Amino acid sequence: MTTASQTESYSKTLNPYLIWRRSFGRWIVKRIPPAKNIVLNINNIFIIPNKQGLGFCFVLVLMFIGAINYETSLAFALVFLLIGMFILTIFYTYRNLAGLHLSAVTDNSVFVGENAEITVILNRHGKRIYEAIELSFANSRKVVADLIDQKEFRSRLFIATRKRGYFNPGRLRVETFFPFGICRAWSLIDLELKCLVYPQPLECDLDMLNQNDQDTGKVNVSRGNDDFYNLREYQVGDPLKHVAWKHFARGRGMYTKQYSSNVDEKIWLRWSQFAQFSEEDRLSKLCYCVLKLDAAGVDYGLDIPGCLIEPSKGSLHYHSVLRALALY
């Protein structure tokens, strides 16, 4: 006897649209394999009439039938002229992509909920110009690029991230309707893009780090107003008594003084410190602690299942800890 979940999986397997998508996905991987740099040519450019092109062909058929019916030589001449123009449009639309070199770079890392920024680089060789090239990913807005005077064009695409770990935006769609808008030349290319997405920081009370480490005999960070240790840009809501007014009077901008009390150089961020939360919330709160401790210039370490990073500080350590949280 089959369960409801099994029945649903069977229906998905037998869905013709899903079967077609899987088959097309396998075919496109064989036809256009992933690569860091791709040159568009006859092997990876597809061209078909769009809706306007199909309407144009339908009108041509009607005109041809009318020319036969009324036996008008001028009508035949007009139909054949438009057919020739349609054939030339196919050639010129294909030519507007052929020979184009594409590559891309992406941000090294972002946090969940932020947009991953992908910079697509278009290059041309020779004197050929490219106009009205549309670039897009599945979940991004289209960007139009032109290569007329310059040899290289860089366009930025932004894609929202929804979960931590490595993010792959998928295949880049490159298409054009130039010059007459009745044919669509396009390609789907995989530029082997990958971006690391850190957990979304969730605010928590840093004092609980002290409470959890008291049993181990360690003295850690406790927030206070004893010692000045840093200046940061003023944010709305900061106490006015902490504003560096002398700094502001010299025309150097508005900054807020930051204070700390008894900062020990080693703090451990442990999985057990947030035992009452779910797995993803634990990672998000640990991520928030990393941001705050790194901003304070404190040595901190990470102890989560399967990963132990000794206390340290600095940019390299900061990204190593966030990477461990992202890939947990």
Side-chain angles (χ1 to χ4, degrees):
M1 185 175 182
T2 60
T3 62
S5 60
Q6 289 175 330
T7 304
E8 184 178 357
S9 63
Y10 293 154
S11 62
K12 288 182 178 179
T13 304
L14 297 176
N15 189 325
Y17 176 71
L18 292 178
I19 294 175
W20 177 84
R21 284 194 60 180
R22 291 171 185 170
S23 301
F24 178 76
R26 289 192 293 266
W27 177 81
I28 203 72
V29 169
K30 293 180 181 178
R31 183 68 181 266
I32 312 176
K36 294 288 185 183
N37 297 278
I38 290 181
V39 180
L40 298 182
N41 53 44
I42 195 171
N43 295 320
N44 50 31
I45 296 177
F46 313 102
I47 182 166
I48 57 174
N50 58 1
K51 292 181 179 179
Q52 290 79 4
L54 293 176
F56 182 80
C57 294
F58 178 72
V59 171
L60 284 181
V61 172
L62 294 181
M63 291 175 64
F64 184 71
I65 294 174
I68 294 175
N69 186 40
Y70 292 101
E71 297 181 353
T72 305
S73 300
L74 289 177
F76 279 112
L78 179 60
V79 170
F80 293 137
L81 176 64
L82 293 176
I83 291 175
M85 188 186 75
F86 181 77
I87 295 173
L88 286 176
T89 299
I90 296 175
F91 170 75
Y92 278 104
T93 305
Y94 163 80
R95 189 176 182 272
N96 198 45
L97 287 185
L100 191 63
H101 292 239
L102 293 106
S103 59
V105 293
T106 183
D107 282 346
N108 292 328
S109 56
V110 294
F111 293 92
V112 171
E114 295 181 344
N115 290 330
E117 180 181 338
I118 299 171
T119 303
V120 180
I121 306 170
L122 291 78
N123 287 280
R124 63 170 180 158
H125 295 279
K127 297 182 179 180
R128 179 181 296 184
I129 63 175
Y130 298 91
E131 301 181 59
I133 307 297
E134 298 182 4
L135 307 170
S136 65
F137 288 98
N139 297 313
S140 73
R141 293 183 178 181
K142 288 185 178 181
V143 175
V144 180
D146 294 299
L147 281 171
I148 300 175
D149 298 323
Q150 67 272 38
K151 291 285 186 179
E152 179 181 291
F153 183 90
R154 291 174 176 253
S155 59
R156 296 188 299 170
L157 299 171
F158 299 91
I159 307 176
T161 56
R162 294 181 174 84
K163 61 181 182 179
R164 61 182 174 85
Y166 280 117
F167 171 71
N168 184 347
R171 289 184 171 262
L172 174 68
R173 182 183 296 273
V174 187
E175 60 184 347
T176 183
F177 299 89
F178 183 84
F180 296 121
I182 59 176
C183 286
R184 170 175 171 258
W186 58 282
S187 183
L188 286 173
I189 60 175
D190 187 348
L191 295 172
E192 297 183 335
L193 297 171
K194 187 168 64 174
C195 174
L196 185 60
V197 182
Y198 299 145
Q200 183 179 21
L202 284 181
E203 185 175 355
C204 63
D205 187 4
L206 296 182
D207 289 338
M208 70 184 303
L209 300 180
N210 300 330
Q211 298 171 4
N212 282 280
D213 276 345
Q214 283 176 356
D215 297 336
T216 64
K218 297 180 181 179
V219 181
N220 294 316
V221 171
S222 60
R223 295 175 295 180
N225 299 322
D226 296 339
D227 301 319
F228 167 78
Y229 73 91
N230 194 16
L231 282 176
R232 65 167 172 79
E233 291 187 4
Y234 175 80
Q235 297 178 358
V236 178
D238 288 346
L240 293 179
K241 65 180 181 179
H242 290 169
V243 174
W245 293 111
K246 291 183 179 180
H247 205 79
F248 177 74
R250 293 170 185 165
R252 299 180 181 177
M254 197 167 183
Y255 289 84
T256 301
K257 297 179 182 179
Q258 291 184 295
Y259 298 87
S260 65
S261 60
N262 292 335
V263 179
D264 183 47
E265 64 276 5
K266 293 184 179 180
I267 294 181
W268 279 99
L269 298 174
R270 304 182 188 278
W271 188 253
S272 58
Q273 290 169 340
F274 302 96
Q276 68 273 30
F277 299 100
S278 65
E279 181 178 280
E280 292 301 324
D281 285 346
R282 284 189 187 189
L283 295 171
S284 294
K285 290 181 180 295
L286 288 170
C287 181
Y288 176 83
C289 294
V290 170
L291 298 181
K292 291 301 181 181
L293 294 175
D294 181 77
V298 180
D299 284 6
Y300 56 94
L302 181 68
D303 183 9
I304 61 175
C307 180
L308 180 66
I309 300 177
E310 293 294 329
S312 184
K313 61 184 176 182
S315 178
L316 184 61
H317 178 71
Y318 168 78
H319 288 289
S320 297
V321 173
L322 289 181
R323 176 187 176 89
L325 295 175
L327 299 180
Y328 172 77

